[in-house]
Amino acid sequence: MSANQKIAILSVYDKTGLLDLAKGLIQQNVRILASGGTSRMIREAGLAVEDVSAITKAPEMLGGRVKTLHPAVHGGILARNLESDEKDLAEQGIAKVDYVVCNLYPFKDTVAKVNVSIPEAVEEIDIGGVTLIRAAAKNHSRVTILSDPRDYPGFLEELEKGDITEASRNRYALKAFEHTADYDTAISGFFRKEYAGQGEQYMALRYGANPHQKPAAAYTVSDKLPFKVLCGSPGYINLLDSLNAWPLVKELKQALGKPAAASFKHVSPAGAAIGLPLTAEERKVYFVNDIEGIESSALAQAYARARGADRMSSFGDVIALSDIVDVPTASIISKEVSDGVIAPGYEDAALEILKKKKGGKYLVLQIDPDYNPSPTETRTVYGVTLQQHRNDVEISPKSFDTIITPKDAGALPENAARDLTVATITLKYTQSNSVCYAYNGQVIGLGAGQQSRIHCTRLAGDKADNWWMRFHERVLNIKWKKGTKRPDKSNAIDLLVSGELPKSGAEREAFEAIFEKVPPAFTDEEREAWMKKLKNVCVSSDAFFPFIDNVFRTSRSGVNYIAAPSGSQNDNAVFETAEKLGITFVQQNIRLFHH
């Protein structure tokens, strides 16, 4: 070997393109050292290759588990162009290594096998290969690391022209780090399932978003999951709802100083509210007339409002509660069709009530109230990893102190600032596009996940209208047949207040069958007269209103306050329309898209 001859060490599982690479290296007078099957394949092709033992002076040992772990290998790879390094190499008789070609056995293939044992998995964990890759990538300012056979042709083209450019070495090093990171992720994933402990750091789920999406799991790389399962077994969507709903109620309480509740369905709120006293009419509309102790439980009042805002959408909800769950709150939950609840704690008696629900299978999660997630969020979609800073903007009544119109308006009334806070924090956890109507400390209409802003506004406005129509004396005085179930009452009321009453046939018969006396449909005049009584509703939008049609629609539902970001080319027309309609328009500086 000449003093200036370059050295390459090859040790690959994936032997795609290996012989072409070896030929190219030999043509450029590169000395090839290889281990195990890599060396054998090159030699059998009649190409010049030496075993790594030629420089280590040590044979492969421990059944092949030790091949390249030697100072002669790693000293040659890690040496820099420093006088002190040159001195160490000379004293030990070690030559610099210039190129490392290494890729790893796909550990994912091992653990994908049915009933793979821990000893089988352990046997496939590469040590020497990972060390080769990591050492070469660490010293990529001098050493070229190839971990992907697709890079061989480009590498050889550069080598024929002289040497490998810094840009290529950087790119190859990044790919190498990603290769070992993916490998380590597969290993840690396998052992997380085996050793992390169900419910501590890793939790197997029944399935993913749909029954055919298996396997599914929830896990954390920190010490333990931030919640405990006190009853039931969470599903994938249960956790999506729970982990979106909990921060919503946590932030509502922090912003407004009162217990908060949210009713979640399909990763958006069906309702959210803070605990304010309930009127006699509200208790009747929200089906909580029979809840003992509700008058002294702000948390129960909050959930009654959150659940009662849109009972049709809340059917089968996941509930989030900001405070320790008491008996009145648990009593409401026990009467409703619901999938689960997440809260920081539960009174013993309340927990016993909840554990009886769904035959003992009702999901009860206890969240660590002091848990703070990482500021960085990562998710994978269609094999592509997306990353962003978590939406940690804080919303409070102080967020609404910039009034755009009318220009001579003073500070917002306390109730308006409160209700805009409720609406805007709710939007932060609602699938976009979204618009929220709020009144008296609660959401009364929410349009979620619509592609068009006006459709959000209409959907939310229609829900707000339906909510208000439920307070009409015709609805309050409905006489139900004995034994009518709560969901059937909710559906019948929804048909009545929305104007969607069936006209005839079996559907009409089914509708009439649950009443002692069938209530007549609302006329347009009756509806209009009742809607005029609703005032001081607040609306918040997760992005700007691009057209005046949104403002016109809100005005039909008793809206007197709108908060939205500016930035539309049509801002002036929107603001002018709001002023003409007697609506105060407040600047909300933060866009709040959520997906």
Side-chain angles (χ1 to χ4, degrees), residues 33-34 119 133 241 278 282 298 315 354 358 375 391 408 439 452 454 464 467 493 500 509 511 518 532 556:
L33 302 169
I133 295 172
D241 283 338
L278 297 166
E282 286 173 327
F315 184 86
L354 296 174
K358 281 192 170 184
N391 186 359
D408 58 351
Y439 177 77
S452 165
I454 184 58
W467 168 84
I493 290 172
E500 296 290 336
E509 292 174 5
F511 172 76
V518 179
K532 285 181 178 179
R556 301 209 309 263

Side-chain angles (χ1 to χ4, degrees), residues 455-591:
H455 290 161
C456 295
T457 307
R458 290 171 183 165
L459 176 60
D462 290 350
K463 290 186 176 186
D465 293 353
N466 291 348
W467 168 84
W468 179 238
M469 290 300 297
R470 285 157 57 197
F471 287 86
H472 192 283
E473 62 179 357
R474 184 174 305 169
V475 181
L476 292 176
N477 294 327
I478 286 176
K479 303 299 181 185
W480 304 100
K481 282 188 177 177
K482 188 175 181 180
T484 302
K485 295 180 179 179
R486 296 162 79 92
D488 292 330
K489 292 180 180 179
S490 297
N491 185 56
I493 290 172
D494 190 70
L495 290 171
L496 176 62
V497 300
S498 65
E500 296 290 336
L501 285 178
K503 299 293 190 295
S504 60
E507 187 180 3
R508 179 69 188 189
E509 292 174 5
F511 172 76
E512 294 180 350
I514 61 175
F515 300 101
E516 290 290 346
K517 181 180 180 182
V518 179
F522 286 102
T523 65
D524 290 343
E525 292 75 18
E526 288 174 328
R527 188 180 302 276
E528 184 177 351
W530 184 250
M531 288 307 305
K532 285 181 178 179
K533 296 182 179 182
L534 181 60
K535 305 290 183 184
N536 296 319
V537 174
C538 293
V539 161
S540 188
S541 174
D542 65 359
F544 58 68
F545 279 153
F547 299 105
I548 62 175
D549 51 3
N550 292 279
V551 183
F552 282 124
R553 176 60 191 88
T554 65
S555 70
R556 301 209 309 263
S557 297
V559 171
N560 289 107
Y561 303 92
I562 292 175
S566 58
S568 168
Q569 294 180 344
N570 211 26
D571 271 351
N572 288 337
V574 169
F575 301 154
E576 289 170 3
T577 301
E579 188 161 16
K580 288 177 182 177
L581 294 172
I583 296 174
T584 299
F585 203 107
V586 184
Q587 173 71 41
Q588 201 286 96
N589 291 311
I590 306 296
R591 194 181 79 175

Side-chain angles (χ1 to χ4, degrees), residues 57-290:
K57 309 303 181 187
E60 294 183 7
M61 59 186 296
L62 303 181
R65 294 196 298 279
V66 177
K67 303 173 185 176
T68 59
L69 296 170
H70 194 280
V73 173
H74 291 287
I77 295 172
L78 289 166
R80 295 171 178 163
N81 295 322
L82 301 173
E83 185 177 340
S84 58
D85 284 9
E86 299 284 1
K87 181 174 179 291
D88 286 343
L89 293 180
E91 288 178 353
Q92 300 298 324
I94 296 173
K96 286 181 180 176
V97 174
D98 303 278
Y99 314 112
V100 173
V101 183
C102 185
N103 56 62
L104 308 169
Y105 179 88
F107 188 82
K108 293 176 184 176
D109 290 355
T110 294
V111 298
K113 297 174 184 175
V114 177
N115 297 325
V116 63
S117 68
I118 291 176
E120 286 176 312
V122 165
E123 198 60 33
E124 298 297 342
I125 298 175
D126 195 317
I127 303 300
V130 172
T131 310
L132 279 176
I133 295 172
R134 182 61 57 84
K138 175 184 174 74
N139 202 25
H140 66 274
S141 62
R142 183 184 68 79
V143 178
T144 301
I145 170 64
L146 293 172
S147 59
D148 185 346
R150 291 172 295 184
D151 292 327
Y152 297 169
F155 165 79
L156 289 175
E157 284 182 17
E158 283 196 31
L159 193 60
E160 289 172 6
K161 294 176 183 177
D163 207 348
I164 310 305
T165 64
E166 179 183 5
S168 292
R169 292 197 309 276
N170 293 347
R171 181 166 55 86
Y172 297 150
L174 172 60
K175 189 171 284 190
F177 285 129
E178 289 173 338
H179 185 46
T180 57
D182 184 64
Y183 188 74
D184 286 339
T185 296
I187 294 171
S188 62
F190 173 78
F191 285 101
R192 186 181 297 115
K193 294 177 185 177
E194 299 293 333
Y195 297 154
Q198 181 72 2
E200 285 293 314
Q201 190 181 5
Y202 175 91
M203 181 180 295
L205 305 177
R206 297 189 300 277
Y207 48 79
N210 298 289
H212 65 276
Q213 291 177 263
K214 300 177 182 179
Y219 68 87
T220 178
V221 296
S222 58
D223 290 341
K224 60 182 180 179
L225 292 165
F227 58 83
K228 296 178 181 177
V229 179
L230 304 185
C231 185
S233 176
Y236 185 90
I237 294 177
N238 292 151
L239 290 182
L240 285 177
D241 283 338
S242 298
L243 297 176
N244 274 278
W246 163 250
L248 191 164
V249 298
K250 181 179 181 181
E251 290 181 33
L252 275 180
K253 183 174 183 183
Q254 288 173 343
L256 297 171
K258 295 183 181 296
S263 170
F264 251 68
K265 278 289 294 294
H266 295 295
V267 206
S268 279
I274 57 172
L276 297 177
L278 297 166
T279 65
E281 290 79 11
E282 286 173 327
R283 289 178 63 165
K284 193 168 185 179
V285 167
Y286 299 153
F287 291 7
V288 292
N289 252 342
D290 57 346

